[in-house]
Amino acid sequence: MLLALALAAGAVYLAEVFWTDIATPARSLLYTVIHENGHAIPEVLSQDGEVLEIFFNMDGSGYVLSTGGSDTMLRVGLGLMLPVLVAALLTVLGLLRFGLAITLGLIFIVLFWQAVFFGREHDMRVFWTICYWALPALIVAFCPWPLLRSTAVLIYAVALTLGVIDALPYLHVEYVDRPAPFTAGMEPAPQAAPSSIQSPERAYKIPSDIRELADYWGAEEIAQPRRYIHALMIACALLAAAAIISFNLRYRS
């Protein structure tokens, strides 16, 4: 169990050290894909909501263009928490070696679907980077060695966990740049990270995720919603650790 985690952490570390220019944007993009889909899911499930476009950028920014039919707290909160929940779930499944082939298959389907439908619109680098995340999952899913499949699942978990850690400073940001004006009546969901867009005529300021939560609760400062998000993140980590410990005490003692 711990060997797979050590191998996964080692693989991510070596990629970050020797292929920094490739690994770091790829890890950031993986986080952004999950984050923006967290914004999109409530829109898809709501009666009045509709997702018109999901945009990913190689600098780690992104947005969901929607009609804004879902509840603000659910839409914004799930965007912030979905990467944490997915990272915790993948960690539990990878360490317990439970449903690895199915998990890897689902990872491939979700990421490849994102690449095909949302990764080709603006930057082909986004498409290929998401594909590079997706294809190994499909290959390893058919591998007969449980250790390799467990390591592969944990690589996604470790990379996503690092993405969550990298995004923590974003919880202190109140406004972010957003490219291009939107059509009237359409609501852009907050983006995953501050954008690096430099053109002033093609960008404008919108509230960040945490600012939207503060406005929803009528709070002037963003400190209170930030504390809630931090508490939920810690709770997810503790629940994942409890699940792993409980399984080992019950079935492997």
Side-chain angles (χ1 to χ4, degrees):
M1 183 172 71
L2 294 180
L3 176 59
L5 181 59
L7 291 173
V12 173
Y13 174 78
L14 291 175
E16 292 283 347
V17 171
F18 294 103
W19 301 286
T20 305
D21 293 342
I22 299 174
T24 301
R27 175 167 53 77
S28 178
L29 185 58
L30 178 65
Y31 170 85
T32 301
V33 169
I34 306 302
H35 173 94
E36 297 302 339
N37 276 272
H39 289 316
I41 289 173
E43 289 290 307
V44 173
L45 297 180
S46 66
Q47 291 183 343
D48 300 325
E50 181 183 358
V51 174
L52 304 171
E53 182 182 12
I54 303 179
F55 175 79
F56 308 122
N57 199 332
M58 287 300 296
D59 66 359
S61 63
Y63 64 78
V64 176
L65 180 58
S66 68
T67 55
S70 62
D71 180 75
T72 299
M73 186 172 70
L74 181 61
R75 172 172 52 83
V76 177
L78 189 58
L80 289 170
M81 291 306 302
L82 188 60
V84 182
L85 295 171
V86 173
L89 179 62
L90 292 179
T91 301
V92 172
L93 294 177
L95 288 176
L96 300 184
R97 297 187 179 182
F98 181 79
L100 296 178
I102 295 175
T103 300
L104 289 167
L106 288 175
I107 290 173
F108 167 77
I109 292 172
V110 170
L111 292 180
F112 190 73
W113 182 75
Q114 294 291 311
V116 170
F117 286 95
F118 305 113
R120 299 184 299 171
E121 293 291 330
H122 307 281
D123 190 342
M124 285 301 294
R125 293 178 303 169
V126 172
F127 170 78
W128 287 113
T129 302
I130 300 176
C131 284
Y132 291 151
W133 275 115
L135 292 176
L138 178 65
I139 296 171
V140 179
F142 294 98
C143 172
W145 301 303
L147 177 61
L148 184 57
R149 285 187 291 188
S150 176
T151 301
V153 170
L154 289 171
I155 286 175
Y156 290 99
V158 171
L160 197 51
T161 300
L162 292 175
V164 171
I165 294 172
D166 286 345
L168 287 178
Y170 175 59
L171 297 179
H172 296 264
V173 176
E174 294 199 51
Y175 294 93
V176 292
D177 290 335
R178 174 58 50 78
F182 289 88
T183 304
M186 299 179 183
E187 179 181 344
Q191 60 184 28
S195 173
S196 63
I197 295 170
Q198 301 296 325
S199 176
E201 69 276 9
R202 298 291 292 171
Y204 61 98
K205 297 288 186 181
I206 66 164
S208 65
D209 288 337
I210 206 71
R211 180 69 260 172
E212 279 212 8
L213 284 180
D215 292 342
Y216 180 83
W217 290 330
E220 293 185 4
E221 303 293 332
I222 62 175
Q224 181 179 358
R226 185 170 62 238
R227 284 195 293 267
Y228 289 151
I229 294 299
H230 285 159
L232 288 173
M233 289 179 175
I234 294 172
C236 285
L238 292 176
L239 285 174
I244 294 168
I245 294 172
S246 175
F247 182 89
N248 279 280
L249 289 177
R250 179 174 298 183
Y251 296 104
R252 297 184 179 178
S253 58

